[in-house]
Amino acid sequence: MPSPVFPFRLIVICCTGLVFVLCSGVIGVCSGPAGLDLAQVWAALWGYAEPTTVSIVREVRLPRVLLAGLAGAGLALGGLVLQVLLRNPLAEPYILGVSGGAGVGAVFGLLLGWPFFPGVAGGAFAGGLGIVALVLALAGRRVVQREGLLLTGVMANAFCSAIILFLLSLSPQLQLQSALYWLMGHFSLPPGNHLALLAGTVVLGGGVLFGLAPTLNVLLLGHHGALGLGIPVRRVIALLLVLVAWMVSGVVALCGLIGFVGLVVPHILRLVLGTDHRELVPACFCGGAGFVMLCDVLARTVPPQEIPVGVVTALIGAPLFIVLLVREDRWRL
């Protein structure tokens, strides 16, 4: 239920989240093979440092940190929405095959040598949205029942995974290595204005979700309960799924497949903050962004050589999720 002190709590949550994102971003920009302190980073941002330091901060680390933050925010918001729609905290973008569909489209583009935009990115968007349409069509009249979407999504995800493995098995060695590296998750930006496109996608998607937060609260009563209160459940579900596909496909196109962010972050924040989505949407945006930024720092600094960030999120997210699963008595939202 909405908190009676909602405006004050929202301000506190937003301020805390922004501080967390800012601190994570500063750590991300300062960390790396060439260690930089805060003074050097500040001077480089304003162009007062050595040219090499300015290049490292402005052209390498800052875009990478921003990309990691946007990816984490998009994945966390996607997981939050799917957990509401299915009323199951095990739901995330992968459970409905959204990430898998985007992965199929992106792998097609990579193996065919298409340019990143509109080739690979367009393929990812088409794949993600295509899987959403397929899931809705196969679920049919059961779309208002979470079991129909859940089971259909699992099958669609398995099918997409099989297609990806099939395509990789037929690819030349050089393309195979590139595709495998992309599949494990990375934050190496291709040339162009793709970071700005992803920023517009995730920020706009987050704004729409914040506007729909009261509707998400009503959906917690169950789809039949929401129908009784006059909510057009089928239209709302379709809109939310398309919105999730839009954000997640953008993340997958640029960063590859990164798991567990949309699973763990929304659940932890729900345990801490409650179930008011007017608070959870901005909290997930900031929490997911900061979490993936810190995971990227670990991927770049802890091992002897850089590893894919998807490996780090899995190593952290899987044990943490198991702990949460053991500690929770009730998993229905």
Side-chain angles (χ1 to χ4, degrees), residues 94 97-111 123-124 127-128 131 155-172 175-184 252-253 256-258:
Y94 292 86
V98 179
S99 295
V104 170
V107 167
F108 262 115
L110 288 172
L111 298 183
I131 287 298
M155 294 300 101
N157 187 52
F159 182 69
C160 290
S161 298
I163 292 178
I164 291 175
L165 293 176
F166 174 73
L167 292 174
L168 293 180
S169 68
L170 299 178
S171 62
Q175 289 181 329
L176 177 62
Q177 293 178 350
S178 175
L180 286 176
Y181 179 75
W182 171 83
L183 283 174
M184 291 185 289
V252 170
L257 301 178
I258 301 174

Side-chain angles (χ1 to χ4, degrees), residues 8-318:
F8 175 75
R9 280 174 55 94
L10 180 62
I11 293 173
V12 172
I13 289 169
C14 290
C15 291
T16 304
L18 290 175
V19 169
F20 176 55
V21 172
L22 180 61
C23 292
S24 301
V26 170
I27 294 172
V29 175
C30 292
S31 303
L36 301 175
D37 57 33
L38 189 58
Q40 289 176 302
V41 170
W42 182 258
L45 289 175
W46 290 97
Y48 299 140
E50 298 179 353
T52 302
T53 304
V54 173
S55 178
I56 291 175
V57 171
R58 288 185 175 183
E59 300 178 11
V60 179
R61 293 190 184 175
L62 183 59
R64 178 168 183 147
V65 166
L66 292 175
L67 179 60
L70 291 170
L75 294 174
L77 289 174
L80 176 68
V81 172
L82 294 181
Q83 288 173 14
V84 173
L85 294 182
L86 302 181
R87 298 181 63 206
N88 189 329
L90 295 174
E92 62 162 339
Y94 292 86
I95 203 67
L96 288 182
V98 179
S99 295
V104 170
V107 167
F108 262 115
L110 288 172
L111 298 183
L112 293 176
W114 292 348
F116 177 82
F117 188 84
V120 176
F125 275 100
L129 292 175
I131 287 298
V132 168
L134 178 64
V135 169
L136 290 175
L138 293 178
R141 294 183 179 275
R142 299 185 65 200
V143 72
V144 295
Q145 302 178 14
R146 61 179 182 272
E147 292 83 359
L149 285 174
L150 183 61
L151 295 175
T152 307
V154 169
M155 294 300 101
N157 187 52
F159 182 69
C160 290
S161 298
I163 292 178
I164 291 175
L165 293 176
F166 174 73
L167 292 174
L168 293 180
S169 68
L170 299 178
S171 62
Q173 185 66 26
L174 183 60
Q175 289 181 329
L176 177 62
Q177 293 178 350
S178 175
L180 286 176
Y181 179 75
W182 171 83
L183 283 174
M184 291 185 289
H186 69 93
F187 294 130
S188 300
L189 269 172
N193 298 322
H194 309 309
L195 182 61
L197 292 174
L198 183 62
T201 297
V202 175
V203 172
L204 180 59
V208 173
L209 288 179
F210 184 75
L212 293 174
T215 302
L216 292 174
N217 289 340
V218 175
L219 289 176
L220 290 179
L221 302 174
H223 296 162
H224 292 292
L227 281 170
L229 293 175
I231 301 295
V233 173
R234 291 177 62 90
R235 295 180 184 177
V236 170
I237 290 177
L239 172 62
L240 290 173
L241 288 178
V242 170
L243 188 61
V244 169
W246 184 38
M247 292 190 295
V248 173
S249 297
V251 173
V252 170
L254 276 176
C255 310
L257 301 178
I258 301 174
F260 289 98
V261 179
L263 191 67
V264 175
V265 172
H267 183 66
I268 292 177
L269 291 174
R270 189 177 287 108
L271 290 176
V272 174
L273 301 176
T275 58
D276 189 350
H277 288 84
R278 296 177 298 174
E279 299 171 353
L280 284 174
V281 169
C284 283
F285 188 100
C286 296
F291 174 72
V292 176
M293 286 179 182
L294 295 178
C295 287
D296 183 49
V297 171
L298 294 177
R300 289 186 281 129
T301 58
V302 174
Q305 63 183 27
E306 182 179 331
I307 62 175
V309 71
V311 176
V312 177
T313 59
L315 290 174
I316 295 176

